[in-house]
Amino acid sequence: MNSMIPPRFKINSQPLAQPEAIVNGPHVRFTVLTSRLIRLEYSPQDCFEDRASQVFWHRRQPAPDFRVVQSPDQLEIITEHLHLRYVLAPGGFRDSLSIELRQLGARWRYGERDWHNLLGTARTLDGTNGPIHIEPGLMSRRGWAVVDDSSRLVFSEAGWLEPQVAPGKLDLYFFGYGHDYVACLRDFCQVAGPMPLVPRWVLGNWWSRYWAYSQDELIELMQDFERHDAPLAVCVIDMDWHITQTGNASSGWTGYTWNRKLFPDPKGLLHWLHERGLKVTLNLHPADGVHPHEARYQAMARRMGVNPASGQPVLFDIANPEFAAAYFDILHHPLEEQGVDFWWIDWQQGERTNVSGLDPLWWLNHLHYNDLARAEEKRPFIFSRWGGLGNHRYPIGFSGDTFVTWETLAFQPYFTATAANVGYGWWSHDIGGHQRGIEDHELYTRWVQFGVFSPVLRLHSTSNSYHERRPWGYDAETLRITRSALQLRHALLPYLYSMAWRCHVDARPLVLPMYYLDPEAEDAYCCPNQYYFGSELIAAPFVSPADPDTRLSRQAIWLPQGDWFNFFSGEHYQGGRWLAMYGTLEEIPVLAKAGGIIPLGPQVGWGGLTNPDELTLCIFPGADNTFELYEDDGETQAYVNGKYAVTRFSQAWGGTSLQFTIAPVEGDLALVPARRTFKLVVRGVSLPDRVSLTINNAEHNLDRKLERKLDRVLPSSGQDFSYDEQTETLAVQGVVLGPADKLALELAVGSGMLLAKRDRRLETCRKLLRAFRLDTGIKQQIDDDLVNILQGHSSLIKHSRTLGDAHLNALQSVL
């Protein structure tokens, strides 16, 4: 069988642990992988497994310090963090194995169920309307989690999965990380393999719809997006790309042959899409095998020993190495040569193969990902459902066919963030929802806004003419707002791609639950609709309809300790509390941390996928911070050999001063523009008394006597400088740097604080009043009293008879 397995499917693994990390006992073997991760094996036949399993590939880790205490009837292993006790017993681990977490004082006993697990993710959201059951994850509030690897398959030397053979064995992995969730995920990725670096274009906007487009219709649709300045990066062609009316026993769900009635020139179409800067994927449902109507049927039949003249189908058998090799060589590679960039593996047809215990979805994900890795000019990438633990190595996920409801949207922030607990950081949802439900412009807009601040923004719906996913398909306001959101998504690419690199090297997904960085704060576990969005931001998108009386959406947000800022307006919020944020349809609750640095590309109507010539750096005061902008060619595997560039942005905060620096680019300078224009936007600062800009030690000072509304030019430099009093934003633009240049911008005040904390309650209340569905006379009465209310000379309660509960709650949350 091994001769049939293509070498590209052999995994790169180091499954055999260091000898000094292994402790043996009668019928047991313990492997100390880290001071908080121990492998626990029991075998009546002393038959222990050293091959890589589906999940654990890299057990050869540096052996941590630990000591062993052994007596005739007990074995103990003591690490910095754990104390394992095993009473030597012929019956294995039952009533004889326990592990204490030394810092927490918590104790796990074999067989104990974890009722406090923080959960992981699920195979699919198909047919769901709101919350679903989620599988356990690697983290728990109890401080420990156990992964049972006993029945998982193992890889042969040739790279094929096969069942383990030792009967009665146990193979467990004990994660005793307490509440250090970041370290738990990092170490899991050390022993299971890293989350790969996704191609840059993946992070742009996707168009997808289950619809029988013709070639001309699809081209016209892409042109419509460009005409409406709604940028795209990926065009998904659903199952009607292939023949569906087969005339034989095939249901038409599976197919590998272009439907020439709809697509008369597939190669020309793919070339046209690529010329427009779009990547292309085709939908696959491979379960029905290969039938006689397929163009490649005869080649496939001959390869698999089926007489082509018989018309018998070549049955789908992905567990068979011979079939799998033919499946790729004959059915997929020719389509890739035409221009198909990657595959949408839309598997929904069961969990069994001819190899006992092998889930076809898990195996399809593994094989497709590794098949696309066969050439360095292409970074491997698939689009599929979650196949189980270990699938973090095969991004990205397609979450499935959800209902078009607010309940579904409200569940997706939590579902997306919680998937970090198994390292699955790249979920892609059907933005707008897939099926049924009531189409509504507000729901659609809020879903798109969530998509901007989610791992992947992919517009999609089922084949129903009453579903609308085009931004211009509703009304002018919806177009204006969702177009701006789609443009913002492409502008965020420098930030998003840097986070993708962080995910790959540091095992920190783009989207993280709040408790990752504040594990001892009870509130961090009680805010499912918000999450960390990269290293600098918290996103809490509106996921419920606007109140009919306030005509505003509301989101309750928990802010960790420290200073926080509205990403868009620069408004300051003190952390360590809950905050109710209200917003119009175009507003999205996104908060930047103190010291935050967020690089943005230009907001464009098309494109914006490459390393930009122009960068806007959004800078937030209040703390020291460093941000590393990561750039490479965006789609090959050259980064593995060091072909990438890093630009370091730093802020040094002094209370009355802020110094921001751009360091010279490190790495492959050919990957960044020879001349790059920067705009430096510092939000949430008072008008400084002194502003200085230094480029390569040449300093440009501004006159201290600056007017409040400033629009001047830095002396002998050509850079525009301005200060917006309303948003307390200082901007320096027109700064042009080469890769070797360095820059320092310093802002300082002579007295007081540079950090602006202007009381914006009066203007916020007036903004609320303008939105309220309320008699204008009552609005004016409240407005006339607002100053007194803010000064404590009057009370909002006296207006309660004329205000609805929603009105009163909104105003009170501000006041």
Side-chain angles (χ1 to χ4, degrees), residues 185 195 420 423-425 499 502-503 507-512 516 532 534:
L185 185 55
M195 292 173 267
Y424 205 58
M499 293 300 101
R502 183 187 77 150
C503 179
R508 292 201 189 192
L510 171 67
V511 171
L512 285 175
Y516 264 61
Y532 287 106

Side-chain angles (χ1 to χ4, degrees), residues 2 5-6 9-11 155-161 363 366-367:
N2 288 352
I5 301 172
F9 295 135
K10 185 172 182 178
I11 65 172
F155 283 90
S156 69
E157 186 177 342
W160 212 252
L161 282 176
W363 198 224
H366 174 82
L367 294 179

Side-chain angles (χ1 to χ4, degrees), residues 13 41 48 58 107 118 134 227 288 322 328 363 381 405 466 557 582 652 691 739 749 754 774 799 809:
S13 65
E41 294 177 274
F48 301 111
H58 306 288
R107 184 185 298 272
L118 290 166
I134 297 178
R227 280 192 288 265
D288 281 352
E322 188 174 4
F328 289 106
W363 198 224
F381 177 73
T405 64
Y466 290 95
I557 302 170
Y582 290 80
V691 180
V749 292
L754 181 59
L774 186 66
H799 299 281
N809 289 337

Side-chain angles (χ1 to χ4, degrees), residues 22-30 40-48 68-77 84 86-94 96-97 168-170:
I22 298 173
V23 179
N24 290 292
H27 308 306
V28 297
R29 183 171 75 167
F30 302 113
L40 317 167
E41 294 177 274
Y42 166 77
S43 172
Q45 297 84 21
D46 290 322
C47 183
F48 301 111
V68 178
V69 180
Q70 195 158 7
S71 65
D73 59 353
Q74 183 169 280
L75 171 67
E76 297 178 68
I77 299 174
L84 179 150
Y86 174 60
V87 177
L88 304 180
F93 293 154
R94 185 178 300 276
S96 63
L97 177 64
K169 71 184 291 291
L170 288 172

Side-chain angles (χ1 to χ4, degrees), residues 145-208:
V146 178
V147 174
D148 189 344
D149 211 41
S150 306
S151 60
R152 287 195 175 92
L153 281 66
V154 293
F155 283 90
S156 69
E157 186 177 342
W160 212 252
L161 282 176
E162 55 192 34
Q164 301 185 55
V165 294
K169 71 184 291 291
L170 288 172
D171 191 353
L172 311 176
Y173 289 78
F174 180 84
F175 290 79
Y177 284 80
H179 297 155
D180 193 346
Y181 309 128
V182 172
C184 181
L185 185 55
R186 181 194 63 226
D187 287 357
F188 171 71
C189 289
Q190 285 291 321
V191 296
M195 292 173 267
L197 178 62
V198 298
R200 187 182 180 98
W201 45 263
V202 170
L203 304 172
N205 303 316
W206 297 32
W207 172 260
S208 176

Side-chain angles (χ1 to χ4, degrees), residues 455-498:
V456 176
L457 195 164
R458 178 179 50 85
L459 302 167
H460 185 69
S461 71
T462 192
S463 182
N464 182 324
S465 60
Y466 290 95
H467 285 306
E468 180 58 83
R469 296 294 170 266
R470 300 168 303 168
W472 59 91
Y474 289 90
D475 50 46
E477 181 189 40
T478 304
L479 170 60
R480 177 180 64 83
I481 295 171
T482 56
R483 173 173 55 201
S484 177
L486 295 173
Q487 291 178 359
L488 173 60
R489 177 69 184 197
H490 277 221
L492 279 163
L493 275 169
Y495 178 71
L496 295 170
Y497 197 52
S498 298

